[in-house]
Amino acid sequence: MNRKLKLWELDRVDEQTFKGQEKFPLIIILNDIRSLNNIGSFFRTADAFNVEKVYLCGITAQPPHREIHKTALGATDTINWEYRKDIDSLVSELKQEGVAVCSIEQAEKTVLLHEISTLNKHKFALVFGNEVDGVDQSVIDASDYIIEIPQFGTKHSLNVSVCAGIVLWEFAKRYIS
């Protein structure tokens, strides 16, 4: 028998402990994300994968908002986040700080997600773009890496928040001892 655990048996840290613990050197950048549910999902996933910070850029809505909270389930209170109107200046700033900027996109020259162990940097900013148009070309041009999730079906994309879960797990594995 393999009994399913109850929530109180999961031995999760409380909010204060989580806020004070050392984070994985991962930053999420959301640019022009339209869906409030997707934004909330990003916050919840960022909490699950111990992300350092979330940047909301362009038209991406900001907490507090009822629809964001519905999927974030309180993660907007545990994750360090900041709004920046201009993604290009943010990307430039992060690169100057030595952060490797990775656009999650399909492009002519990409690193497939299962090959990210070959990336030499330690700290990464992962850029996720608009649900329809993806990551802005100016950000792709400025990125250190374009990361692509291999797909084997007839569709050409994944929901952006589903994409985030897949990508963040692969990056988080780099920091698990």
Side-chain angles (χ1 to χ4, degrees):
M1 186 166 154
N2 190 7
R3 184 181 62 83
K4 180 179 166 182
L5 295 175
K6 305 293 183 191
L7 288 178
W8 60 85
E9 296 177 293
L10 295 177
D11 198 29
R12 303 283 187 197
V13 298
D14 61 31
E15 285 186 18
Q16 283 309 110
T17 304
F18 178 79
K19 287 180 181 180
Q21 77 187 15
E22 184 177 351
K23 303 292 186 275
F24 296 153
L26 294 171
I27 295 168
I28 295 174
I29 302 173
L30 304 182
N31 192 49
D32 292 337
I33 302 295
R34 298 177 310 166
S35 164
L36 300 171
N37 290 324
N38 280 339
I39 297 165
S41 292
F42 269 99
F43 273 96
R44 191 166 165 189
T45 303
D47 180 282
F49 291 115
N50 199 38
V51 167
E52 183 177 304
K53 188 167 188 172
V54 172
Y55 285 98
L56 309 172
C57 299
I59 66 165
T60 306
Q62 304 165 53
H65 193 287
R66 186 173 57 85
E67 292 299 312
I68 294 173
H69 180 71
K70 188 188 305 184
T71 48
L73 295 178
T76 55
D77 298 326
T78 59
I79 291 296
N80 183 20
W81 66 272
E82 182 180 334
Y83 176 77
R84 294 285 190 92
K85 182 171 180 54
D86 181 28
I87 189 170
D88 293 313
S89 62
L90 172 61
V91 166
S92 177
E93 180 183 315
L94 291 171
K95 289 182 66 152
Q96 288 176 357
E97 294 172 6
V99 177
V101 174
C102 303
S103 287
I104 312 305
E105 189 56 89
Q106 297 162 329
E108 292 174 334
K109 299 174 187 166
T110 62
V111 175
L112 296 176
L113 185 59
H114 60 279
E115 297 171 342
I116 63 166
S117 62
T118 63
L119 305 181
N120 292 326
K121 293 284 191 163
H122 181 69
K123 187 171 187 174
F124 297 92
L126 308 175
V127 181
F128 296 88
N130 177 271
E131 291 92 338
V132 174
D133 298 321
V135 177
D136 293 348
Q137 186 65 51
S138 63
V139 176
I140 290 172
D141 293 341
S143 293
D144 297 294
Y145 306 103
I146 311 302
I147 308 297
E148 181 178 352
I149 300 173
Q151 297 174 49
F152 309 99
T154 61
K155 303 304 170 205
H156 300 286
S157 66
L158 296 163
N159 172 279
V160 68
S161 64
V162 170
C163 177
I166 295 167
V167 170
L168 281 166
W169 168 240
E170 287 299 318
F171 273 88
K173 288 193 301 188
R174 296 171 65 99
Y175 311 108
I176 298 172
S177 27

